[in-house]
Amino acid sequence: MEKYFDLHGADFTIRCKIYFAPVAKPAAGIETGLEEAGQPFRHVIVFCHGFAGHKDNAMAQKLAGRILEKHDDTALVIFNWPGHGDDDHAGITLEDCDAYLGTVLEYVRSTLHPRILDASATSFGGYLVLKYISDHGTNPFRRICLRCPAVVMHRVLTEKVLTAEDLRTLSEGGEVPSGFDRKVMLSPAFMQSLRDNDITALDFAPYAASMRIAQGTADELVPFDAVQSFAGRNGISMVTVEGADHRFLDPAKMDLVLRTFMQFLDL
């Protein structure tokens, strides 16, 4: 079962979605239209989608489906990043991304009251989860599953996504739209913030045991070597998926990732 709901901050609204088993009854006061009363969820996974994605993410739906087949006391929560999907923001900043993730985490802790809080993040979502941990000096999750984390996000955009014309516009102080279903407006300030916040220069070794990476060797956006180097330098366990592209379009390869992540999350 799934429900859409909104979380409200001082000057923003976060569009969210929750997957849960029909028999589950979340804590009272939840602002999702779910049943009131009942016990809190035992286990919640916060799912962070990638650049130009949205809360109706295919992998999140597949992961939630597999989980809920076995565990009716578990939920998966996903939300739109600023400027993504049906979010109200026109653009995106790293500060807003941090605020969104922090607001979602506070909601999960204060309303769903899980005994176990984990994360699954893809590409840019992985970058943002790692940045959140570094910025706040703590890891709010028991375990974190990262699929093709964009640890070199600035390089991904400048070398793989943006055109020469886009880069010229940015260098002249203009903004450029980038993405798929909905274009995300990228500003020179945002691009500079990605350059300034180089995840590969930070130390994640203290959190290595809580993380598992799955990376395809044929990823056309996030360089395999960059992720492999990042994982090795920090002592993070990485599952190499031969021939997998960035989106893991091969169902068998996606199935491998789902099984790997569920095992790591004890599901």
Side-chain angles (χ1 to χ4, degrees), residues 11-267:
D11 59 353
F12 57 77
T13 298
I14 307 174
R15 312 296 183 189
C16 307
K17 185 177 186 180
I18 183 171
Y19 293 91
F20 63 100
V23 297
K25 293 184 177 180
I30 190 171
E31 297 179 6
T32 62
L34 304 181
E35 302 92 338
E36 293 189 353
Q39 297 299 311
F41 289 111
R42 180 186 68 87
H43 191 177
V44 172
I45 298 97
V46 173
F47 193 103
C48 300
H49 67 73
F51 177 74
H54 48 75
K55 64 184 180 298
D56 293 311
N57 178 276
M59 180 180 170
Q61 183 179 40
K62 291 175 182 177
L63 180 60
R66 299 262 183 117
I67 292 171
L68 298 179
E69 285 178 356
K70 300 180 178 180
H71 305 278
D72 60 14
D73 59 356
T74 302
L76 184 146
V77 175
I78 183 171
F79 60 99
N80 287 337
W81 291 116
H84 288 64
D86 56 355
D87 183 74
D88 294 334
H89 280 67
I92 181 173
T93 69
L94 292 182
E95 292 79 9
D96 284 343
C97 290
D98 184 87
Y100 272 38
L101 181 52
T103 300
V104 170
L105 290 176
E106 177 57 27
Y107 159 78
V108 169
R109 286 188 291 244
S110 64
T111 303
L112 303 184
H113 303 289
R115 294 201 295 274
I116 301 172
L117 176 60
D118 290 331
S120 180
T122 296
S123 194
F124 181 48
Y127 169 90
L128 292 172
V129 167
L130 291 168
K131 182 178 180 298
Y132 185 93
I133 291 171
S134 177
D135 286 352
H136 294 268
T138 185
N139 180 7
F141 305 106
R142 181 197 61 151
R143 291 180 183 169
I144 303 170
C145 298
L146 300 168
R147 180 170 70 86
C148 48
V151 294
V152 287
M153 188 61 194
H154 184 269
R155 180 179 164 193
V156 168
L157 288 178
T158 57
E159 296 182 8
K160 304 292 185 178
V161 177
L162 298 174
T163 66
E165 182 178 352
D166 289 335
L167 295 173
R168 183 166 54 254
T169 298
L170 286 165
S171 70
E172 294 171 351
E175 297 187 350
V176 298
S178 181
F180 311 102
D181 295 336
R182 171 183 171 176
K183 302 293 184 182
V184 181
M185 293 303 299
L186 305 180
S187 68
F190 174 72
M191 296 301 296
Q192 184 60 48
S193 70
L194 289 179
R195 183 188 292 273
D196 293 341
N197 289 272
D198 179 7
I199 291 299
T200 64
L202 303 175
D203 180 18
F204 290 93
Y207 312 107
S210 68
M211 299 182 185
R212 179 69 51 84
I213 293 175
Q215 179 66 34
T217 59
D219 193 319
E220 70 281 11
L221 292 179
V222 179
F224 175 83
D225 291 347
V227 179
Q228 184 180 52
S229 176
F230 172 81
R233 186 168 58 256
N234 288 285
I236 301 172
S237 175
M238 185 174 104
V239 176
T240 297
V241 185
E242 293 293 336
D245 61 352
H246 187 67
R247 297 175 64 188
F248 278 70
L249 292 176
D250 184 331
K253 294 178 172 57
M254 176 60 82
D255 181 68
L256 172 61
V257 173
L258 293 172
R259 286 188 284 108
T260 297
F261 284 178
M262 286 188 66
Q263 182 180 35
F264 185 59
L265 298 177
D266 297 326
L267 292 169

